[in-house]
Amino acid sequence: MSKKKNISQYRNIGIMAHIDAGKTTVTERILFYTGKSYKIGEVHDGEAVMDWMQDEQDRGITITSAVTTCEWKNSLIQIIDTPGHVDFTVEVERALRVLDGAIGVFCAVAGVEPQSETVWRQADRYKVPRMAFVNKMDRTGADFFAAVHSIREKLHANPVMLQLPMGSEDSFSGVIDLIDMKQIIWDDDTKGAEYIKEDISSEFEDMALDYRDKLLEAISEVNDEIMEKYLSEEEILNEELTQAIRKATISRKIVPVFCGSALKNKGIQPLLDGVASFLPSPLDVPPIKGLHPDTLEELEFLPKKNDPLAALIFKVSMIEGRKLSFVRIYSGKVKSGDDVYNPLLRKSEKLSRILQMHANKRERMEEASAGDIIGIVGLKDSGTGDTLCTQTHPVFLEKMEYEAPVISIAIEPRTHADQEKLESVLEKFIMEDPTLKVSQDPETGQTILSGMGELHLEIIISRMRKEFNTQVNVGNPQVVYREVLTSKVKGSSIFEREISGKMLFAQLDIALVPLERGAGITFQSKVPQEQIPPQYISAVETGIRETLEGGSLKGYPFVDVGIIVEGGRADERSSELAFSVCASMACKNILEKATIKLLEPIMEVEIFVPDAYMGDAIADLNVRSGKVEAINSKAGIQIIKAVAPLSRMFGYSTSLRSATQGRGTFSMKFSRFDMV
């Protein structure tokens, strides 16, 4: 790595898209043209640098976000290549949390696809400035303008074209730069490493002038200085236009749009120029905010090397059995061998090594500072979402929220040796992946693994076998249901018993009421303090919540229940234990006489099938109790939007492939819980 750059030259970006839009291919080209790779790795050959995990190479998809660092002209670009599959949205969430900017990659044929919508909304939530790259301009059915239109319509963004494609499909030959008003043609013999910028050929001239005017008009709407010059027909210099585009991109008023074909090595260098010119450095985004762990006062940390340390662990990986923590430093600096403070655990940890990441290869660094995204070895107890700071300036940076798992499988070790390994292997997976949950089934004694989808669990099992050499038998996937009450029920309990030579007493009258979907579990007490002191009330709440967690009908957790303590009595024999047990007894009494219904997870499904197979796809959905909500057609492809119960969607990918001769694809995400 050359000498340390100024923080204003840093670009911390993510590359995000729907599965198969060409995200990893774009990243591979970036690594090649910035000199990080000496040959281009192809996803379809299982050789992509960023997809270094065995499962990623076998399946040709990205599963885990990889971090890499490269230089382009004067910028230091730190890239996170994120997965596009819906089961791994948490990987995207973690990346967006620590990035300053992003490139959305869209397929020129399909435009905005379901998963690109999901990641775009995630980026909206974290207020990440974005650029768009319309990829696959060489594919049959490629339509640049339709793709841009779908960005405007589906994502409610304001796309502004900075380039036009020269032709499309087989005739796609290069791009027209609407700022410099030049055309760019790539040399196939050098794998696109060399290109020429020349005057626009006559066949594209009128279109280029027309769209240059549209570009000026779009920028004048978000920049007053450009508007004045545009209206008075003064000349607008390229530098002024570039500055105005940068300002509007960083303030998220526009999304600059580029185009090309990563697979055919066209369009990547101007995209890199765009990253340097238009996406923010850590100085251009608002400073990170956090809370003081004791006073809860809001603190702000500036991206300065000599300020107090504030860093966030956004991901933990177990690579070759060692724990590697991925960290974004927002403020301050760290050196190899330093002690850092984790305010959540209230303890110090030692950084034994600091690493600059290049996918799964690493380079040692002595020091890292504000703006850097690094790997750290040596953190024993700190996990994903934890903050690292100094003891003299403690801070909590905002933790990340994760969705609850919707699907479970039972696993059991094959041999005694596997039994011994299983627990530590699962511990490592949970440390890596906050959306994975492990529990024991009290009745069967089996280990239950819960995750975000079939593919998610399939890959965990595959990694268990390949990476950790742990063999397990897998039970069929089980849906994680929920239980609900259908009407208000009341119950009471008196607890009077001698425990360890001491008499304990508690009396409670409780009501449970059904709440509307999504309300969660609420608690209120109507009992005066003199009847039951406040310290016992929290024990009552804990006792009831724990009982509801264990379910009643089938042992699934209750949701959407209001707990009301309507009466009760304490005396000198009372204690927290007495009230906790009494609350649990009262709750069980109520549930025995209550009418309870099951809720099941309902999934939103989006299916892409060629026209000829639409009838078969809908017939298959009907068999699975799916409800079709909308059908749109586009370039010979039918897009079916539907909802279906998760329990009926197992093995769907296989049956869709066989019904459409392998040409149908689908994506599925959790929508809501509904009555079975």
Side-chain angles (χ1 to χ4, degrees):
M1 200 92 228
S2 61
K3 74 180 187 44
K4 191 93 170 138
K5 299 258 182 222
N6 184 306
I7 192 166
S8 65
Q9 295 166 305
Y10 277 48
R11 298 289 180 272
N12 290 332
I13 64 164
I15 297 190
M16 53 189 220
H18 185 87
I19 191 164
D20 254 1
K23 223 167 30 296
T24 301
T25 309
V26 169
T27 313
E28 293 300 320
R29 297 308 183 271
I30 289 174
L31 297 181
F32 180 67
Y33 300 131
T34 56
K36 264 320 237 196
S37 303
Y38 298 104
K39 74 187 256 282
I40 295 177
E42 298 293 10
V43 177
H44 53 79
D45 296 335
E47 288 180 354
V49 176
M50 299 300 272
D51 286 350
W52 53 270
M53 203 190 265
Q54 179 70 51
D55 272 297
E56 295 180 307
Q57 292 169 359
D58 294 348
R59 295 163 193 269
I61 62 169
T62 303
I63 292 166
T64 171
S65 43
V67 179
T68 194
T69 312
C70 57
E71 289 185 34
W72 178 252
K73 298 185 177 169
N74 286 324
S75 300
L76 178 87
I77 304 176
Q78 302 188 91
I79 303 172
I80 302 184
D81 172 31
T82 61
H85 196 286
V86 66
D87 285 12
F88 306 105
T89 342
V90 64
E91 284 286 336
V92 185
E93 185 92 17
R94 298 198 272 198
L96 288 171
R97 173 69 177 80
V98 297
L99 292 172
D100 302 325
I103 300 172
V105 177
F106 299 94
C107 168
V109 183
V112 174
E113 297 172 272
Q115 192 56 16
S116 32
E117 265 186 82
T118 307
V119 291
W120 197 267
R121 303 269 172 267
Q122 286 174 303
D124 282 341
R125 195 160 69 237
Y126 288 117
K127 300 184 170 59
V128 178
R130 273 147 282 175
M131 301 189 331
F133 181 68
V134 177
N135 190 24
K136 304 195 178 185
M137 280 307 306
D138 58 310
R139 282 263 307 272
T140 307
D143 186 337
F144 175 68
F145 300 104
V148 174
H149 178 71
S150 73
I151 293 173
R152 174 169 282 116
E153 290 298 301
K154 288 189 174 178
L155 303 177
H156 309 298
N158 180 15
V160 173
M161 292 175 249
L162 304 189
Q163 291 181 341
L164 295 176
M166 296 166 67
S168 69
E169 302 186 356
D170 293 344
S171 65
F172 174 66
S173 56
V175 304
I176 292 164
D177 180 335
L178 294 175
I179 297 177
D180 288 340
M181 288 303 275
K182 296 277 185 197
Q183 67 183 27
I184 307 171
I185 307 283
W186 277 267
D187 175 16
D188 288 338
D189 295 340
T190 60
K191 290 194 169 166
E194 289 176 18
Y195 55 96
I196 48 169
K197 259 191 171 186
E198 56 190 22
D199 290 338
I200 298 170
S201 52
S202 55
E203 62 175 307
F204 295 114
E205 216 168 343
D206 290 347
M207 178 171 81
L209 287 168
D210 184 23
Y211 276 95
R212 162 80 177 191
D213 196 54
K214 287 181 177 168
L215 166 61
L216 295 176
E217 192 183 323
I219 300 304
S220 68
E221 285 173 9
V222 292
N223 186 297
D224 294 345
E225 290 142 28
I226 299 286
M227 177 173 276
E228 274 176 40
K229 287 195 160 190
Y230 179 69
L231 292 176
S232 54
E233 295 186 1
E234 276 179 64
E235 190 196 350
I236 296 168
L237 299 173
N238 287 355
E239 292 78 57
E240 294 175 302
L241 183 57
T242 301
Q243 274 309 311
I245 294 171
R246 176 177 177 78
K247 204 171 155 186
T249 306
I250 291 172
S251 58
R252 302 193 343 275
K253 288 178 180 154
I254 66 165
V255 175
V257 183
F258 295 76
C259 63
S261 162
L263 193 63
K264 294 288 190 315
N265 309 317
K266 293 178 170 69
I268 300 300
Q269 294 94 334
L271 181 68
L272 282 165
D273 290 339
V275 168
S277 302
F278 308 126
L279 287 180
S281 79
L283 300 174
D284 298 315
V285 292
I288 187 85
K289 290 184 167 66
L291 296 177
H292 190 288
D294 302 323
T295 62
L296 297 185
E297 160 201 5
E298 189 172 79
L299 305 168
E300 196 171 83
F301 287 79
L302 297 168
K304 290 183 179 170
K305 182 178 176 174
N306 296 319
D307 276 17
L309 176 68
L312 183 80
I313 302 174
F314 65 94
K315 175 180 161 70
V316 171
S317 257
M318 303 306 294
I319 297 178
E320 291 153 15
R322 301 198 61 180
K323 180 175 170 184
L324 178 66
S325 308
F326 290 84
V327 175
R328 160 78 195 254
I329 304 175
Y330 288 101
S331 169
K333 61 174 185 281
V334 291
K335 285 195 176 81
S336 216
D338 274 2
D339 283 335
V340 289
Y341 182 65
N342 181 330
L344 183 74
L345 304 175
R346 295 192 178 272
K347 66 183 284 187
S348 285
E349 296 241 51
K350 192 178 263 320
L351 312 181
S352 49
R353 276 191 298 167
I354 301 174
L355 304 168
Q356 176 143 50
M357 303 306 298
H358 178 46
N360 66 333
K361 298 186 176 63
R362 322 177 251 299
E363 210 177 296
R364 287 183 81 149
M365 301 167 77
E366 281 314 303
E367 177 181 308
S369 55
D372 281 327
I373 294 177
I374 54 169
I376 287 179
V377 178
L379 299 176
K380 286 193 174 66
D381 301 313
S382 301
T384 302
D386 286 3
T387 303
L388 300 177
C389 54
T390 58
Q391 214 154 344
T392 45
H393 292 91
V395 62
F396 276 136
L397 299 178
E398 176 197 2
K399 274 190 87 77
M400 293 176 261
E401 300 291 321
Y402 304 113
E403 294 204 358
V406 292
I407 178 171
S408 299
I409 51 174
I411 57 172
E412 50 188 35
R414 282 196 191 160
T415 66
H416 186 63
D418 293 325
Q419 168 83 51
E420 286 172 358
K421 278 191 280 188
L422 186 62
E423 203 168 306
S424 73
V425 170
L426 288 174
E427 226 166 81
K428 285 171 181 166
F429 280 131
I430 290 169
M431 204 185 284
E432 269 191 20
D433 185 349
T435 58
L436 196 65
K437 297 278 181 282
V438 174
S439 58
Q440 297 299 122
D441 184 324
E443 286 174 21
T444 63
Q446 282 172 315
T447 302
I448 306 293
L449 204 55
S450 309
M452 303 309 288
E454 263 185 293
L455 182 65
H456 184 201
L457 294 177
E458 206 179 291
I459 281 166
I460 293 289
I461 298 298
S462 172
R463 286 186 59 199
M464 220 180 256
R465 291 170 179 159
K466 287 176 188 163
E467 284 175 46
F468 296 97
N469 201 11
T470 306
Q471 301 304 319
V472 289
N473 295 322
V474 180
N476 283 338
Q478 294 295 316
V479 177
V480 182
Y481 292 91
R482 296 285 185 270
E483 298 188 6
V484 281
L485 292 172
T486 54
S487 57
K488 181 175 178 175
V489 260
K490 295 184 176 189
S492 54
S493 178
I494 296 174
F495 178 76
E496 200 165 8
R497 199 174 296 166
E498 187 178 319
I499 294 179
S500 309
K502 190 176 175 196
M503 274 307 280
L504 297 180
F505 172 80
Q507 184 193 335
L508 283 170
D509 301 318
I510 290 166
L512 298 179
V513 290
L515 303 177
E516 60 190 54
R517 279 306 139 266
I521 292 184
T522 62
F523 178 86
Q524 69 175 112
S525 170
K526 295 181 174 176
V527 183
Q529 289 194 9
E530 53 274 15
Q531 247 174 282
I532 302 178
Q535 70 266 31
Y536 297 154
I537 290 294
S538 65
V540 170
E541 182 176 358
T542 308
I544 297 175
R545 280 183 183 272
E546 282 175 2
T547 308
L548 292 175
E549 188 62 33
S552 171
L553 192 63
K554 299 267 181 168
Y556 294 109
F558 272 92
V559 287
D560 309 332
V561 179
I563 306 164
I564 305 163
V565 182
E566 295 189 327
R569 187 164 65 84
D571 64 18
E572 64 286 347
R573 300 168 294 169
S574 296
S575 70
E576 286 182 28
L577 173 67
F579 270 97
S580 175
V581 175
C582 186
S584 180
M585 284 164 53
C587 186
K588 282 177 181 157
N589 293 343
I590 292 173
L591 295 178
E592 276 171 16
K593 58 187 179 188
T595 314
I596 299 163
K597 288 274 170 71
L598 278 185
L599 295 183
E600 65 178 340
I602 302 294
M603 309 304 277
E604 260 175 54
V605 192
E606 194 150 19
I607 304 154
F608 295 76
V609 290
D611 294 348
Y613 302 108
M614 188 168 91
D616 295 342
I618 290 178
D620 187 33
L621 261 183
N622 291 338
V623 170
R624 295 170 184 273
S625 312
K627 286 195 188 83
V628 174
E629 294 191 326
I631 299 174
N632 301 310
S633 66
K634 184 174 181 186
I637 295 284
Q638 296 291 340
I639 304 162
I640 305 165
K641 291 191 174 188
V643 289
L646 176 62
S647 58
R648 304 296 298 276
M649 292 301 285
F650 291 134
Y652 182 60
S653 53
T654 315
S655 68
L656 180 66
R657 274 201 297 267
S658 60
T660 60
Q661 294 185 0
R663 291 172 63 197
T665 59
F666 79 105
S667 74
M668 182 164 78
K669 64 178 181 186
F670 173 71
S671 165
R672 61 184 189 274
F673 277 103
D674 223 329
M675 289 285 184
V676 173

